[in-house]
Amino acid sequence: MSPGSRVAMSRRASAGGPVDLSDSPQARLFPLRLGSAAITGGLWAERQRLNREVLLPRAAAQLEAAGNFDNLRAAARHGAQRFRGPVFMDSDVYKWLEAIGWELAREADEDLERLADEAIALVADAQDEDGYLNSYYQVVEPSERWSNLAQDHELYCAGHLIQAAIAQRRGRDEERLMRVARRFADHIEDTFLRGGRPGTPGHPEIEAALVELYRETRERRYLELAEYFVDQRGHGVLGPGHFGSSYYQDHVPVREATEVRGHAVRALYLATGVTDIYAETGEPELLAVMEAQWRDMTEAKTYITGGLGAHHQDEAFGDPFELPPDRCYGETCAAIASIMWNWRLLLVTGEARYAELLERTLYNGFLAGLAVDGSGFSYVNPLQVRAEHHDPVERGARRQPWYEVACCPPNVMRLLASLANYLATGQRDGLQVHQYAPGRLAADLADAGHVELELATEYPWQGSIELQILETPAEPWALSLRIPSWAADARAAVNGKPVEADARGGYVSVRREWRGDDVVELELPMRPRLITPHPRIDAVRGCVAIERGPLVYCAEQVDQPGHAALDDLGIDASEPLRTETVEHPLAGTVVIKGRGVQARAARWPGSWGYAEHGSPAAVCEHEHTELTAVPYALWGNRGDGPMRVWIPLRS
Amino acid sequence: MSPGSRVAMSRRASAGGPVDLSDSPQARLFPLRLGSAAITGGLWAERQRLNREVLLPRAAAQLEAAGNFDNLRAAARHGAQRFRGPVFMDSDVYKWLEAIGWELAREADEDLERLADEAIALVADAQDEDGYLNSYYQVVEPSERWSNLAQDHELYCAGHLIQAAIAQRRGRDEERLMRVARRFADHIEDTFLRGGRPGTPGHPEIEAALVELYRETRERRYLELAEYFVDQRGHGVLGPGHFGSSYYQDHVPVREATEVRGHAVRALYLATGVTDIYAETGEPELLAVMEAQWRDMTEAKTYITGGLGAHHQDEAFGDPFELPPDRCYGETCAAIASIMWNWRLLLVTGEARYAELLERTLYNGFLAGLAVDGSGFSYVNPLQVRAEHHDPVERGARRQPWYEVACCPPNVMRLLASLANYLATGQRDGLQVHQYAPGRLAADLADAGHVELELATEYPWQGSIELQILETPAEPWALSLRIPSWAADARAAVNGKPVEADARGGYVSVRREWRGDDVVELELPMRPRLITPHPRIDAVRGCVAIERGPLVYCAEQVDQPGHAALDDLGIDASEPLRTETVEHPLAGTVVIKGRGVQARAARWPGSWGYAEHGSPAAVCEHEHTELTAVPYALWGNRGDGPMRVWIPLRS
């Protein structure tokens, strides 16, 4: 291969991606440089195209219509003006600017640059002389800055500003927003860390942003400020609030918090920041509580989709094993936060389980948040919707073009734009592939040299993955491929010769002197699987879910023969499942067929909702039918009908 | 018997109870006069004693401490003062005054009279010259009356004032509060009905109160005002609100509302008022929608305890069959509202199903709302509490002495004080006993004459009920006894001779010339029953509940041998259930024993919350144990441990 084939799409080939741990003492694995990974086809490339061509440009108009830009204009005029929307309106602008930063690192686009530049000018204009920047307080309560940290999201917005500035700088050498962000960060440092003002954000977010700002600037005071906010938490500084102090993780000091509690997005953004601090400081207690929280979450508080949050009322984690499929909250932002946290845990531990949960969340709890045609985003991602389904529009289970609380849409955009950064990592002498998508990966391995490879696959629809070495140094290095836990009988081969490798650690690893035309093949078995829930998950007792590869499946009303009521559908688990690839209307999708068992529940003989066990009044007739399941991520793209992930076992 | 034995405890022997349909054209059954029914022993007599001796006097101090009385004092001073608590604070005072009114009808008490008189003086002082009375608006926003009907409960408070005034008048000839209430009702009539102001209460309550005021005064304009508010509803007059207009039943005109939707207490108070209007006007559409709503509620939206409301977020009915046991709301006030509604439906239709749901609700969803020792009230009444259970204190599942939103405690008090009114009804030539408690019943039957009887039973613990005729005219009349649907094999006898009677209508009825020493015996079978839920109730699939008589049972952690985790308890339904009467600590309670099957879920072999169906990782070991169940109504009186009504079937 010629040197010209190197992937170097970033304007700043040395820039880090969203999480740059290249100098972090605790990193076991290192993210690739920004632009060193690209997704070139398949499901995610299509979503990235949609993001670039539709979501990001349209969001400019949506931010204009909702008043986000007007709020910044009002703040710039320093007079009493009208403010619209919730107090955290600025953060939507920042997340969108962050998304554009990563998107422009993928490929230049004059229209997106112009949109971003206009918004950055607005943000810069709005900043106060002393560096303060929050359009709500500047417009509505200028004398009340920092007076309601529990509810009013000033530090949360500041965190998103910092992340946007980092993306704009790393992605396109844009420095203006970074100057704004640093002035505000310095103001916050003066106010809290230097000024001795107690306080911590009611909604975490700034912690991870400040650590990244430290990584970007190497100014340790930003790391110290992040630590300050983490240390302040858990001492009641935020007050009890409406839902108790656990709502914003203020019920116990962070170093003693072994459970995930309260508002899911807050808990996970905090965990992301704490893990970032651990990556820099190596304080063992921080990793220990992060690992404990992760176990608590995955054993008892995570939906099979990777979705998180069981309560609508406080958008919170439920009690252990409280995982109702219908009242599942599973906010799209919580899925994104979980992906961010798992990525950092993967980097500081090298353990495959974090990459596996990241994959599950990406392909299910996150992907469901975006309509196939980009027409809407979901806020809430339930695992069951019944025939009769009443929900307020805001925070309902249906995808909407925008929301009054519009946290999710630009969050989807920033993850899609930066998604290639989450595929692979490097070490001194190896490259690790954690997620499989058609694309290219490159890394400069300290002990070996420049490596580059191309990945071809139809994953997640098929399990064949082919990696071709494009460039390699003469020195030996290790290529590690993650083997999902559902793929215990995976097979790997190099140039057609089977590899005998121990994948118990979650990776099959081949260390050798590679040549530029070597081909590695990985075959992940894609047999459909029936899944049983833990017996303590009361809400789905007696049911199974269907999975195939990384995808969780669901049944939708539209696929049921004769429109038999989905609410009454069961499954005969003794019959095998089959797969079919459909062309319309979910083109290219592998659907799963099985033997359905339809209860005639409309003819329930009981006089009301209950009847004596074993009596004729308690027995429903059944009939057999064909069951069709489609990927959960694609539900709700063919009308508004009922859906269910968990299907009652019947025979 | 001598004439002196007549029960005539009311000061006003001709007064009606809470619902006086004696002149209502649509009544099929007539409530007994106030004081003509008394509960003299057993479970309910003990609760009434507690109410009289503990709850009612203590509430005076609680209303003082919470600021309810201070708010009225502030309103009386007509100046800008401090207001404490939610906007509906006045209603707590009114419900408590209503309770005292009914309680003093049972028996005089100088202390309660004095407390009531003081509060009535406060209320009278607070009333404005023009009759308006609402301490929140008088103190905080005097110029903004009626400006926020959707949220601000002015009409709701007015309704409770009217009901309190009726109870004070009927119960103890107290006229001052009635003058206050009528002045306010007249002011409301002038403002809305005569003034042509559109509007309807965001929280229904005044509708039933106004109909009762019409019954008390025979002034038809109060009935017309109730109809006005009902007719206004469903045309968007309240705006969409945060949870949509169905939250306050404003999504569809009342005559088209065939489902129960939205906030459960609002929906049920509205239904109570609409049924009251039907009782007076006989408009067929109103009864038709009430029957449709009742079917919708009982087929798909009622917990086995009679509890209502499946959402915490909006305190609302869920979608059909959305009945999670853990996140059950089942507000105590909703149970009370259901009892009030079912009582009216019984009176206007004569159908046993309403008395049956009333009984179920009374013995389960309502009774659970009060601690056995009176130390606290529950707001939320879940059907499952897990070992790890986190909930904000306010609206948590644990009983508290009082609440910031204190609607439930005085609601419990007013129902307990008036409970005897719900036992029996009369017709021209018959007496119907709907609920069984030790006590006395009397009625003046228009076509027969004065009848009086004594009822002896240990119900609900035992199924033997003995009714002794104390007084009877020579003319024949019919004694009807309700046969619950679970007691199809009930047996009845008169003076020891079996009665061959058709109870398919829900009542066994004996018409004869009675003598003063006749004894009727009824034997209701008290075999413990296992209950299966409708197959669409996803949240409790694969489980059974235990019932005996009118009681729903539950398992509590404290009764499990060796403290095996209740979260992992199952039941072997093939083994018979046994009963035992325990002396301590739930004295006199019949508990139920069965064969438990304990899952070793702590040793779940899966790596996270899910595992492949049929694989070793998805299989939990089981062991057999003894299962003990206690009445749901008594849960949480022996510590704070886990509880569950629905028990997984295992073998």
Side-chain angles (χ1 to χ4, degrees), chain A residues 259 302 311 319 327 384 386 388-390 527 530 532 534 536 538 568 604 609-613 644, chain B residues 259 302 319 327 384 386 388-390 527 530 532 534 536 538 568 604 609-613 644:
Chain A
E259 299 173 351
T302 305
H311 291 179
D319 294 328
R327 289 292 281 182
Q384 178 179 15
R386 293 188 181 80
E388 271 193 69
H389 180 62
H390 305 298
R527 175 178 54 83
L530 289 176
T532 293
H534 190 292
R536 281 188 183 167
D538 297 282
D568 302 328
W604 162 257
Y610 311 93
E612 186 158 0
H613 180 67
R644 68 185 310 152
Chain B
E259 299 174 351
T302 305
D319 294 326
R327 288 291 281 182
Q384 178 179 14
R386 295 188 180 81
E388 270 191 70
H389 181 62
H390 305 298
R527 174 179 56 81
L530 289 177
T532 293
H534 189 292
R536 282 190 182 165
D538 298 281
D568 302 328
W604 161 256
Y610 311 92
E612 187 160 357
H613 181 65
R644 68 186 309 152

Side-chain angles (χ1 to χ4, degrees), chain A residues 381-403:
Chain A
N381 295 285
L383 275 66
Q384 178 179 15
V385 176
R386 293 188 181 80
E388 271 193 69
H389 180 62
H390 305 298
D391 235 336
V393 170
E394 176 78 357
R395 304 198 187 169
R398 305 300 180 174
R399 299 184 189 96
Q400 307 288 329
W402 202 251
Y403 288 87

Side-chain angles (χ1 to χ4, degrees), chain A residues 445-493:
Chain A
L445 309 181
D447 291 352
H450 186 76
V451 306
E452 201 164 321
L453 53 84
E454 181 150 9
L455 197 156
T457 182
E458 290 179 55
Y459 194 82
W461 307 122
Q462 307 303 334
S464 298
I465 294 147
E466 184 185 282
L467 300 101
Q468 172 152 19
I469 307 296
L470 300 181
E471 284 198 47
T472 180
E475 289 73 20
W477 56 278
L479 176 64
S480 300
L481 305 177
R482 187 172 65 83
I483 309 299
S485 64
W486 46 263
D489 42 356
R491 287 174 290 116

Side-chain angles (χ1 to χ4, degrees), chain A residues 174-308:
Chain A
E174 215 297 324
E175 293 289 346
R176 284 170 303 169
L177 197 62
M178 179 56 79
R179 285 195 294 275
V180 173
R182 288 193 62 171
R183 279 181 65 206
F184 194 15
D186 295 348
H187 177 83
I188 293 168
E189 186 204 355
D190 286 344
T191 304
F192 289 91
L193 187 61
R194 309 289 161 219
R197 185 183 189 118
T200 198
H203 197 314
E205 153 61 31
I206 196 170
E207 298 83 352
L210 286 167
V211 177
E212 206 60 39
L213 187 58
Y214 158 66
R215 291 176 185 144
E216 183 68 13
T217 63
R218 306 315 300 175
E219 293 206 27
R220 196 160 184 94
R221 60 205 178 87
Y222 296 131
L223 175 61
E224 290 165 4
L225 184 55
E227 290 183 280
Y228 178 82
F229 287 136
V230 165
D231 293 347
Q232 286 274 304
R233 189 171 294 275
H235 302 284
V237 66
L238 295 171
H242 187 63
F243 296 118
S245 56
S246 64
Y247 172 72
Y248 24 54
Q249 298 76 47
D250 193 31
H251 59 300
V252 66
V254 169
R255 286 167 183 79
E256 298 166 26
T258 55
E259 299 173 351
V260 286
R261 289 274 304 276
H263 188 279
V265 177
R266 291 171 205 243
L268 295 165
Y269 279 3
L270 176 62
T272 299
V274 170
T275 308
D276 267 329
I277 292 172
Y278 167 77
E280 303 307 322
T281 68
E283 184 187 334
E285 288 87 341
L286 292 184
L287 183 61
V289 295
M290 288 298 97
E291 289 177 333
Q293 287 186 22
W294 193 88
R295 276 194 302 274
D296 177 57
M297 182 175 90
T298 54
E299 286 173 4
K301 294 173 183 168
T302 305
Y303 284 97
I304 193 170
T305 56
L308 298 161

